[in-house]
Amino acid sequence: MTEQTQRQAPPRVTTTEDDGAAPRSELGIVLTGGGARAAYQVGVLRGLARRFPNTRFPIITGVSAGAINAVFLAQHPGTLAAAVTDLEEIWRGLSIERVFRVDTVALSGNFARWVARLTSGGSAKAPEVRGLVDTEPLRETLQKVLPTVDGEIIGIQRNLEAGRLGAVALTTIDYATGQTITWVEGRDIRTWERPNRRSRQARLTIQHVLASAALPLLFPAVRLAGSWHGDGGIRLSAPLSPSIHLGASRVLVISTRYERDHAEADRPTIRGYPPPAQILGKLLNSVFLDLVDQDVARLQKMNELLERVPETLRGDFRPIEAQVLRPSEDLGRLAGEYEPELPTTFRFLTRSLGTRETSSPDFLSLLMFDPHYLERLMTIGERDAEAAAPALEKILRVPATPA
């Protein structure tokens, strides 16, 4: 946890709109992964914008699907409310067809290449495989909503120059080296290195967003700086670390992982031998979402230790406030209700993996880019933000506006 308490000069940006107040300790927002479940984050942001309209996040970090939301916030020229309104429209317009190809020809072709690869015995003539699905539709969608010049997302630099933003960071994994790479665009940034984790300054592009959101095996890897990169949540052992390295002293984390109580945790979601969908769902949860809880727990322990140490003896260490918002409902279980809405060919594939053999198909929820499901998640997120208003007011340190 050393990197979570090291001091770095934060970008000089206040956390509220220009109101004459002195700059406060820097506020960061961490947007985690979860595929389609990232729509929940949009709902939380909608609740924030309505209840805390003056909120501004100088430090924004995202990984996996959260990278899409992070970059959109970072490049938007307007207020949080305006940015969230536009982000809502994007998610409302999403469908599976706008994220990856689900037509019979595309899915059959990818499946055939995988079969040929697996039965090739390592032959040099084995076909190259780059994910189970083709995500070119997602690239096209991002190109429509993120204005670029020479590939760079232009709104980010504009907000940095105007002082509306301090830094934005996206995380990927370099498949060639196994290192977790955090790509940072900001002002007065000092990079950092840890075992198997490092940062790089960069002008962020759509390639960075696609790479961070490239679910392993499912989505194809993306080429960055001469190497192939994928979903940054794979080995991100300290999800809060990028935000803290960039100077945040207060961190709001929006997770997409539902926390079950003891009774729910002890209740089996399958009967008999676990189908592939169940195994994949638990694996992806452990890779992308469980680490947030572990990181926050370590942070709390470090804060408790620092409270016992006089401030003059803390050196480069400082306490970090963290508030985690998470779904009040099981988003995996909800995904099962919308499974009949999936395109026929894709539904056949997911059912073949056993998504109907579990009462909480977490794997399915990652890919459930159904408009009705996404809208449901946004509604839950907004409601959860409203319920957490007292805790949010404490960490945002911005007076709430009556709903």
Side-chain angles (χ1 to χ4, degrees), residues 25 75 125 130 221 236:
S25 58
Q75 62 83 46
K125 297 182 179 180
R130 296 190 177 186
L236 186 58

Side-chain angles (χ1 to χ4, degrees), residues 338-359:
Y338 295 89
E339 188 255 5
E341 305 298 322
L342 292 172
T344 303
T345 304
F346 188 68
R347 186 172 68 242
F348 178 83
L349 176 62
T350 58
R351 288 182 176 180
S352 298
L353 293 173
T355 53
R356 303 192 75 186
E357 299 173 40
T358 173
S359 60

Side-chain angles (χ1 to χ4, degrees), residues 288-361:
F288 301 124
L289 304 179
D290 293 351
L291 293 175
V292 170
D293 299 322
Q294 298 172 19
D295 205 21
V296 171
R298 289 195 298 265
L299 182 63
Q300 291 171 343
K301 290 293 184 182
M302 182 63 74
N303 285 340
E304 292 172 6
L305 177 62
L306 286 175
E307 288 178 0
R308 298 182 174 91
V309 178
E311 188 170 352
T312 56
L313 300 179
R314 292 177 183 178
D316 290 336
F317 295 91
R318 70 186 192 276
I320 304 295
E321 297 179 61
Q323 176 67 43
V324 182
L325 261 67
R326 62 178 73 254
S328 57
E329 297 186 37
D330 188 338
L331 305 188
R333 190 180 298 274
L334 284 177
E337 299 178 15
Y338 295 89
E339 188 255 5
E341 305 298 322
L342 292 172
T344 303
T345 304
F346 188 68
R347 186 172 68 242
F348 178 83
L349 176 62
T350 58
R351 288 182 176 180
S352 298
L353 293 173
T355 53
R356 303 192 75 186
E357 299 173 40
T358 173
S359 60
S360 183

Side-chain angles (χ1 to χ4, degrees), residues 34 41 73 113-114 121 131 148-149 164 171 211 214 232 254 269 274 281 287 304 310 344 351 376 378 381 402:
Q41 297 172 349
L73 291 179
R113 282 189 289 274
W114 274 93
T148 61
V149 172
R164 292 188 290 264
T171 301
I254 307 181
T269 57
V287 168
E304 292 172 6
T344 303
R351 288 182 176 180
R376 179 84 172 270
M378 287 190 281

Side-chain angles (χ1 to χ4, degrees), residues 259-270 282 333:
E259 188 173 32
R260 297 175 180 175
D261 59 32
H262 292 298
E264 290 176 305
D266 291 337
R267 189 180 305 130
T269 57
I270 60 170
K282 300 309 177 187
R333 190 180 298 274

